[in-house]
Amino acid sequence: MILFPHMLAGAIIGSEVSNYPLLILLSFSFHYIFDKIPHWDYLPRNISELNTKGWVLFMSKVTIDLLAGLVFIWIIFDSSPDLVRILTGTFFGILTDGLMLLNILTKQKNNLLKWIENFHRKFHFQNYEKAPLQQKLFWETTITAAVIIIIFLI
């Protein structure tokens, strides 16, 4: 799943939950719940084999995704007195993906990062490759729209 819906879910959790340990646990948990749903993402299958041009393209997509999420969160929650909690939820909503990327970049030399990536992959949508693109895009769009609607309802 792209980072945007994970960021928004974390921001919502941060806006509503004042207990930091619970906020962190919920943001992490919702990441895994969302990843069980069929979805589209831009992580290349052979990421460890990308050349310089491939890395630049991949990191450009990540940067655009992160900036889009941060700008949207800033616009929606700009006047909130709970901005630190909101950004904490946002951060922990995407941390697991960042740790997976770090594991790849370190060529899986860190046992904790390897364990986190394996745990993440177990939660990730099963039969991911077999799902039709239309189904992945439908669920990605539906989840993102639902999260945006929730933002405006709270």
Side-chain angles (χ1 to χ4, degrees):
M1 185 168 287
I2 61 174
L3 299 174
F4 190 86
H6 292 302
M7 294 172 75
L8 295 182
I12 291 171
I13 292 166
S15 73
E16 296 297 314
V17 177
S18 59
N19 178 304
Y20 276 91
L22 182 60
L23 183 162
I24 291 166
L25 179 66
L26 288 173
S27 296
F28 245 90
S29 299
F30 269 87
H31 183 103
Y32 291 115
I33 291 167
F34 280 13
D35 273 355
K36 281 300 257 184
I37 299 167
H39 60 274
W40 172 83
D41 60 32
Y42 47 75
L43 182 67
R45 184 177 310 153
N46 59 347
I47 189 167
S48 60
E49 301 169 11
L50 289 178
N51 60 19
T52 303
K53 182 179 178 183
W55 269 106
V56 169
L57 179 61
F58 171 68
M59 291 310 294
S60 296
K61 291 175 184 178
V62 170
T63 302
I64 290 168
D65 193 3
L66 283 170
L67 288 175
L70 288 173
V71 166
F72 191 82
I73 289 165
W74 184 263
I75 290 169
I76 299 301
F77 294 106
D78 178 40
S79 61
S80 174
D82 306 317
L83 200 54
V84 172
R85 282 197 341 248
I86 290 165
L87 293 176
T88 301
T90 301
F91 174 77
F92 282 97
I94 61 172
L95 180 61
T96 185
D97 285 339
L99 293 175
M100 279 185 58
L101 182 59
L102 186 59
N103 186 45
I104 292 164
L105 292 172
T106 60
K107 301 185 188 318
Q108 300 187 344
K109 292 181 181 176
N110 182 297
N111 288 332
L112 177 61
L113 291 176
K114 274 195 269 189
W115 183 87
I116 291 169
E117 181 174 0
N118 289 334
F119 183 77
H120 190 167
R121 289 189 185 281
K122 285 179 186 175
F123 270 87
H124 212 271
F125 173 60
Q126 304 302 315
N127 300 318
Y128 179 76
E129 300 293 326
K130 295 178 184 175
L133 179 61
Q134 297 89 338
Q135 181 187 18
K136 293 176 185 180
L137 292 174
F138 169 79
W139 284 111
E140 184 87 28
T141 305
T142 301
I143 292 296
T144 304
V147 171
I148 291 170
I149 290 167
I150 291 168
I151 287 173
F152 286 106
L153 292 177
I154 57 173

